[in-house]
Amino acid sequence: MRVIVIGSGIAGVPSAYQLARRGVEVVLVDERHPGFATAAGAGIVAPWASRALAGAEYRLAAGAAGHYPVLVQQLAEDGVHDTSFEIVGGMVVSADEAELAEAQQRIGARAAEDPLAGAVRRLDPPQARELFPPLAGNLAAVHVSGAGRVDGRRLCSALRDAARARGARLLDGHAELALDGDRVTGVRVHGERLDADAVVVAAGAWTPELVAPLGVRLGVAPQRGQLIHLGLSGQDTAGWPVVLPVSTHYMLAFPDSLVVIGATRETGSGFDHRVTAAGQHEVLTEALRVAPGLAGATVLETRTGFRPLSDDAVPLLGPLDGYPNVLVATGYGASGLTVGPFAGQIVAALAVGDPPPIDLAAFRPERGAATG
């Protein structure tokens, strides 16, 4: 069996890796668009803390959090150890007692049903600053010990290496779906036709243009996100927890004195991958409001990427009507680095005819698609 996966970001490359682990012949095709989201992203794996996730989308994210330790073990078995994923804990921070009480109730209820969330506890401002020293002195926190963080570039690099070691073929170029009558039979890349039993279309915000020749319009558009990497010379940041203000912004630390702050959510941006003054101002203003101790940090790098945002902000995951061998994986929005690896496992199961581990009814691509 051969499966072609279009897109080597956090939607596509986990699918290719899981298929290769199943012994499937895999071809991973990528056009390397500037601004693809995974290359920019720093991921927070803490669905229990999310105010936005609910219902089926929360269940997907919670399953994804549980998949991360499994994935790390799988990669280790394949000799790949630099995934960047670490469980470092996370803090929802606020100076508002009502916001903290609501967060503690929500996270505590979810943790009671999911042991992976770990312990949930309240921290006063000195305790919060002990864990994340740059924090503002008036911010208390709700701490959840099971939260993790991951670097998108490093994780995807690890998955590509492991997929290649399992026999996957990596091919650069623009892919087009190949049709025979009313069936997709593979793709064309640089004029070369590659036949396949199934095709996974996981090209992020560029996915709609790939399926458009089938007469399908997917409800997905690019949402620009800008973030900043800061260096804190002399600080041991490796074990600092993820920080989640009661907003859409965040900060997370990595080894080597690195703190990542972000991110804008610029709906309607199109594919304009510039770093803008307004975007950087937004990111820095929010970060320094929450953590004024970062004011003396060195700006090391700015990144921008396009999240694939669906019309209803819920992922599109599964086969297309009329083309059951075309599997779509996109629309993850800001949750890409959380759900992507687990979604790859789901896609691999679907491609070989196995039942998915969760009910996918809420994620049907057709709910956000029109034909004609």
Side-chain angles (χ1 to χ4, degrees), residues 272-295:
D272 179 355
H273 66 270
R274 293 176 303 125
V275 174
T276 67
Q280 299 300 288
H281 175 74
E282 177 186 329
V283 171
L284 286 168
T285 298
E286 178 64 17
L288 295 180
R289 178 187 69 81
V290 173
L294 295 174

Side-chain angles (χ1 to χ4, degrees), residues 166-204:
R166 287 270 182 172
R169 175 186 174 191
L170 277 61
L171 184 62
D172 290 338
H174 175 70
E176 298 178 347
L177 297 177
L179 274 167
D180 279 346
D182 59 357
R183 178 175 170 80
V184 173
T185 56
V187 303
R188 291 185 179 85
V189 182
H190 298 311
E192 176 188 0
R193 178 171 173 141
L194 301 172
D195 291 331
D197 299 287
V199 178
V200 178
V201 187

Side-chain angles (χ1 to χ4, degrees), residues 122-168:
R122 284 286 289 271
L123 303 178
D124 62 25
Q127 291 171 321
R129 289 188 72 188
E130 184 177 353
L131 295 180
F132 198 97
L135 274 183
N138 67 329
L139 295 179
V142 176
H143 183 272
V144 54
S145 65
R149 52 101 170 117
V150 65
D151 179 280
R153 288 185 184 180
R154 287 168 61 190
L155 178 61
C156 276
S157 177
L159 287 162
R160 278 192 293 270
D161 288 346
R164 186 186 295 112
R166 287 270 182 172

